[in-house]
Amino acid sequence: MSVIGPDFISLQVNNLEDSAAFYQNYLGLIRSQAGPPHAVVFETKPIAFALRDLIPGTELTLGTQPGLGVALWLYAPDTQEIHDKLFAAGVKITSAPIDGPFGRTFTFVDPDGYLITLHSKP
């Protein structure tokens, strides 16, 4: 037996509806009808991506940033357009767009403090 690879990614968030609206409005993610009431699952491929309410006892503000040490990269062919929209809205950009082996790439901070990197080349 062996693990094939990642199959599902979920972030715990402080306010499910606010965070879901952020990902819908700024990244263009589409809500799936699937999922439990304590989560929002998006129609992403090939790996499912979701946001969920905090698990009891979880406090996102205790450390320097949630998910410290984990790199979450999402593919977006229109990375520069998304960057410009986030920047105009005052979203914190931690790495400005650059062109590299993964295409146009930049990193921003989501409403819960997670660092999210977008790249334009699959």
Side-chain angles (χ1 to χ4, degrees):
M1 281 195 240
S2 66
V3 172
I4 303 300
D7 186 50
F8 189 82
I9 297 170
S10 176
L11 299 177
Q12 294 183 60
V13 297
N14 287 303
N15 184 307
L16 185 59
E17 286 306 315
D18 287 351
S19 291
F22 175 87
Y23 280 88
Q24 287 177 277
N25 295 336
Y26 291 106
L27 276 60
L29 295 183
I30 298 169
R31 254 185 223 229
S32 170
Q33 296 303 311
H38 64 274
V40 171
V41 178
F42 295 103
E43 294 180 4
T44 56
K45 298 198 183 331
I47 298 171
F49 176 70
L51 304 172
R52 61 157 294 142
D53 288 329
L54 292 175
I55 294 172
T58 302
E59 178 58 55
L60 295 180
T61 59
L62 289 179
T64 56
Q65 76 181 56
L68 183 63
V70 174
L72 180 55
W73 287 49
L74 302 174
Y75 167 64
D78 52 353
T79 297
Q80 185 65 52
E81 182 180 325
I82 293 170
H83 166 273
D84 296 347
K85 188 175 182 180
L86 291 169
F87 184 80
V91 173
K92 184 177 179 181
I93 306 297
T94 60
S95 295
I98 61 165
D99 293 313
F102 300 101
R104 194 80 173 148
T105 305
F106 78 96
T107 303
F108 66 93
V109 180
D110 87 345
D112 291 282
Y114 291 103
L115 294 179
I116 309 294
T117 299
L118 296 186
H119 66 98
S120 65
K121 191 186 274 186

